[in-house]
Amino acid sequence: MDARQMKIEAARAALAYVESGMRLGIGTGSTAEEFVRLLAEKVATGLSIEGVPTSERTARLCNELGVPLKSLDELPELDLTIDGADELDGALTLIKGGGGALLREKIVAASSARMIVIADQSKVVETLGAFPLPIEVNPFGLVSTRILIERAASRLGLSGALDMRRSGDSLFVTDGGHYIVDASFGRIPDAEALSSELYSIPGVVEHGLFIHMATQAIIAGPAGARTLQANNT
């Protein structure tokens, strides 16, 4: 089973949790897109849901495939969100934002009664941080904000490159009009402490640490899909 097949397997297992009549948050990224394709097949055969996309990219795919969408203002309380992750640990703490949609992803997840993460087994780690942590920042005062991020990380014993995400020759711009700093800390032993430090910086709009948000994770490997609960790897 190759990487894409594992993503499809995780997405297929997650689809079993989607019931007709649900208000559904729909994630962003390669695994989430496999879920959208499978969801569209179910919609075409009679499944009735209302989806809220976490990015313009996801919205375009849903519209192309006939998945009905509403805005989060129209559906401010959701039954379930299904989304991918760049890393997750045994407590189901996540690093997200590799696709650049972390702010909307976190808003949608926070508006949901449940969040199911779908991923292949390579995303499960003992300690977060091998994947660079995306930090969404306001363009105003960018140099100052990066200095403050570096100082905050240092207070926690963290160091590493703080790279501005790029799209071609230009800086990557999120759907919300912000930039992303990718922080290569290597290892994040205390995600909650880092989260608090980053939230104390005015120029930080949001960060990619999703703490106490995922209710379960469906992880696909060569032998098929398995379900993880918090503190059960």
Side-chain angles (χ1 to χ4, degrees), residues 52 91 150:
V52 173
E150 186 174 19

Side-chain angles (χ1 to χ4, degrees), residues 91-108:
L92 299 193
T93 300
L94 319 173
I95 286 182
K96 288 179 54 55
L102 63 104
L103 175 60
R104 292 191 184 185
E105 287 175 328
K106 192 172 281 190
I107 292 171
V108 169

Side-chain angles (χ1 to χ4, degrees), residues 12 15 20 25-26 28 31 59-60 63 80 85 92 108 128 130 134 168 182 188 198 203 216 226:
R12 194 184 312 280
L15 192 60
S20 212
I26 304 174
T28 296
T31 308
R60 285 193 295 271
N63 285 327
L80 174 66
L92 299 193
V108 169
L128 298 176
D182 287 311
I188 303 171
L198 293 174
Q216 65 192 89
R226 61 192 174 110

Side-chain angles (χ1 to χ4, degrees), residues 153-190:
S154 180
R155 287 193 290 272
L156 298 174
L158 302 175
S159 62
L162 301 178
D163 297 315
M164 297 302 303
R165 187 175 299 184
R166 306 192 70 84
S167 177
D169 295 331
S170 304
L171 290 177
F172 176 85
V173 180
T174 70
D175 288 342
H178 307 123
Y179 297 151
I180 289 183
V181 176
D182 287 311
S184 298
F185 294 134
R187 190 170 182 275
I188 303 171
D190 191 339

Side-chain angles (χ1 to χ4, degrees), residues 121-214:
Q121 64 181 12
S122 69
K123 306 296 175 62
V124 182
V125 298
E126 184 175 341
T127 304
L128 298 176
F131 190 92
L133 175 66
I135 304 171
E136 191 159 342
V137 297
N138 196 295
F140 179 81
L142 178 60
V143 174
S144 175
T145 298
R146 289 182 67 186
I147 290 171
L148 292 173
I149 292 171
E150 186 174 19
R151 288 177 182 170
S154 180
R155 287 193 290 272
L156 298 174
L158 302 175
S159 62
L162 301 178
D163 297 315
M164 297 302 303
R165 187 175 299 184
R166 306 192 70 84
S167 177
D169 295 331
S170 304
L171 290 177
F172 176 85
V173 180
T174 70
D175 288 342
H178 307 123
Y179 297 151
I180 289 183
V181 176
D182 287 311
S184 298
F185 294 134
R187 190 170 182 275
I188 303 171
D190 191 339
E192 293 199 32
L194 179 57
S195 174
S196 295
E197 287 280 359
L198 293 174
Y199 281 141
S200 73
I201 300 170
V204 170
V205 178
E206 190 49 85
H207 59 70
L209 290 169
F210 283 52
I211 303 171
H212 307 308
M213 301 190 84

Side-chain angles (χ1 to χ4, degrees), residues 5-35:
Q5 288 173 319
M6 285 190 280
K7 292 174 182 179
I8 293 171
E9 186 69 20
R12 194 184 312 280
L15 192 60
Y17 292 88
V18 179
E19 301 172 0
S20 212
M22 271 190 166
R23 300 158 298 175
L24 184 66
I26 304 174
T28 296
S30 59
T31 308
E33 287 177 0
E34 300 297 351
F35 172 75

